[in-house]
């Protein structure tokens, strides 16, 4: 009889530890007898436990649910922090150096008519860039061309238009 109770307790512990975090977020109020119907309580074999064993199981369950819920909340917070951090990096890329060497790729809105100092370039992703060097390229017309803006040394960015061999130094204005 004692062996089957221990096995029953062990089985209950294993089943409860495998419960998904989503289930663990549910607040467990009261003990198992209050949470389960009499038929469920009996079907689980919990009616065979002594009052002390049932109290121990209820206490363990309350602690497990609280611990899993706390872990789940922390994981959700950490994931939200990381998503927010990534959003800030993507949104502010070009204003600040975040250590990535990956170019910003998009298309220019409208017509590209070459390079010239102080010329403005509006990208399809909403970013606005201004040419800051004296590079000149004229006689070129492209509508909505693909572009890449690559980081250089010391916060410098270079705009390259697809199909054009010249690149210009730019800075992000919006």
């Amino acid at each position: 009889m004692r062996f089957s109770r221990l096995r029953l307790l062990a089985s209950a512990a294993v089943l409860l530890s495998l419960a998904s975090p989503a289930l663990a977020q549910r607040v467990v109020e009261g003990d198992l007898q209050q949470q389960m119907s009499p038929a469920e309580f009996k079907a689980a074999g919990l009616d065979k436990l002594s009052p002390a064993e049932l109290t121990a199981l209820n206490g363990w369950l309350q602690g497990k649910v609280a611990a899993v819920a706390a872990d789940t909340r922390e994981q959700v917070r950490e994931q939200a922090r990381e998503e927010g951090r990534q959003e800030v990096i993507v949104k502010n890329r070009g204003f600040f150096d975040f250590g990535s060497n990956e170019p910003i790729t998009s298309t220019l809105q409208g017509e590209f008519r070459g390079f010239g100092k102080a010329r403005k370039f509006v990208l399809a992703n909403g970013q606005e860039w201004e040419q800051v060097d004296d590079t000149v390229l004229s006689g070129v017309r492209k509508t909505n061309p693909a572009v890449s803006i690559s980081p250089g040394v010391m916060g410098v960015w270079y705009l390259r238009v697809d199909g054009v061999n010249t690149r210009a130094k730019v800075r992000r204005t919006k």
Side-chain angles (χ1 to χ4, degrees), residues 6-117:
L6 289 175
R7 200 164 78 191
L8 179 64
L9 276 174
S11 297
V14 168
L15 288 173
L16 291 172
S17 69
L18 295 175
S20 72
L23 293 175
Q25 290 179 354
R26 184 183 71 167
V27 176
V28 178
E29 297 175 6
D31 60 25
L32 288 171
Q33 266 181 307
Q34 293 172 337
Q35 292 292 313
M36 301 171 87
S37 71
E40 291 172 325
F41 192 78
K42 185 170 178 127
L46 297 175
D47 61 325
K48 297 173 187 163
L49 298 177
S50 71
E53 291 169 332
L54 190 56
T55 300
L57 181 58
N58 281 321
W60 180 84
L61 178 61
Q62 291 290 339
K64 277 295 189 187
V65 168
V68 170
D71 286 348
T72 301
R73 282 192 304 271
E74 185 57 34
Q75 288 173 354
V76 168
R77 273 191 213 109
E78 187 58 37
Q79 182 179 358
R81 275 189 212 110
E82 182 59 24
E83 287 172 3
R85 190 176 81 75
Q86 290 301 320
E87 182 180 329
V88 167
I89 287 171
V90 169
K91 185 176 181 181
N92 293 306
R93 188 122 189 272
F95 287 126
F96 306 104
D97 180 17
F98 289 104
S100 173
N101 289 328
E102 293 296 315
I104 297 169
T105 57
S106 188
T107 57
L108 284 179
Q109 289 183 338
E111 190 171 59
F112 172 69
R113 294 183 176 210
F115 291 122
K117 187 161 182 138

